[in-house]
Amino acid sequence: MSRNAKINTLLLLAVAALAVLPLALGLGDHKEEPFAGSDAEAETAITEIEPDYEPWFSPLYEPPSGEVESALFALQAALGAGVLAYYFGLRRGRRQGEQRAMAAAEAAAAPRDTPEGD
């Protein structure tokens, strides 16, 4: 196994551990919503500190349910991942094209071994 493959395997195991360990260890069992988003956590903390707090702004669009909100968030994440994948793929393709063009130019400029006098 190459060095890069070992590093990739270790990184994949670390990500899997970060995803599974909170569930396996029961972290958040004492909460009503154990894995609520940071927005909900912030709202709870603010209302505990200042019960009369009024937000400065209201949302432009309020999804009808938590499922729709989750779906929109997943769609946003997928679109962002697609844009990043396109950008990095484009960069890699351009770099490979430049390398191929340079190799072809070097091959064309190299002297050819042809028998003389035939």
Side-chain angles (χ1 to χ4, degrees), residues 65-95:
S65 69
E67 291 84 8
V68 174
E69 186 175 358
S70 294
L72 290 173
F73 181 75
L75 178 64
Q76 177 185 356
L79 287 172
V83 168
L84 283 175
Y86 175 78
Y87 171 74
F88 286 118
L90 186 67
R91 277 189 52 194
R92 182 175 181 177
R94 285 184 179 170
R95 187 176 15 164

Side-chain angles (χ1 to χ4, degrees), residues 5-6 8 16 33 54-55 64 76 79 87 93 99 102-104 106-107 115:
K6 288 179 185 177
N8 288 341
E33 294 183 39
E54 288 292 325
Q76 177 185 356
L79 287 172
Y87 171 74
Q99 290 172 350
M102 287 174 42
E106 289 174 4

